Amino acid sequence: MARHAQRTTYAVAASGQWVDEEEGRRRLPAGEAHAWEQGRNETVCGLSLSRSQLTRFPHVPWTDAIPESGGAADRIQRLCRRCASVAGRTGADAKPPWRRENPRP
């Protein structure tokens, strides 16, 4: 039986927020952005959401937080490098996510 890798979709957790009046008062992330998997209480890099005082944005996909995307990244100042290495990054300088090809026994 072949196992297929399940693709995980990540949302955004950020240190700040702002309200976009043009898009119908939609809350958007600001400050430092982290990838977050819905249903978990921590970011992909291991930060606790409550202890780090990060706000969840379940309606904003991680790909929209990347500055080159032009999505919801208007006021994001910094992307977590550890989260970006796991969740992926797009653009000219993007590297594929790290993956172990041949693990040691």
Side-chain angles (χ1 to χ4, degrees):
M1 179 184 327
R3 294 176 93 181
H4 296 282
Q6 185 177 5
R7 186 168 181 107
T8 305
T9 57
Y10 298 102
V12 176
S15 61
Q17 68 178 348
W18 66 288
V19 177
D20 188 4
E21 299 291 337
E22 294 176 2
E23 287 194 31
R25 298 192 48 81
R26 185 176 165 204
R27 283 183 331 114
L28 295 173
E32 183 174 343
H34 294 268
W36 164 66
E37 188 177 349
Q38 292 188 33
R40 310 247 351 208
N41 289 323
E42 65 182 12
T43 62
V44 173
C45 66
L47 290 177
S48 168
L49 293 173
S50 61
R51 289 185 182 191
S52 301
Q53 298 180 346
L54 295 173
T55 305
R56 298 173 183 140
F57 296 90
H59 59 283
V60 179
W62 171 254
T63 53
D64 283 355
I66 299 170
E68 296 86 28
S69 73
D74 291 344
R75 298 201 183 164
I76 291 180
Q77 298 169 350
R78 181 181 168 302
L79 286 179
C80 173
R81 290 175 35 194
R82 291 182 288 177
C83 289
S85 71
V86 174
R89 184 176 172 97
T90 59
D93 62 340
K95 295 179 183 175
W98 182 84
R99 206 173 107 213
R100 184 181 300 265
E101 293 292 331
N102 189 7
R104 292 195 277 176

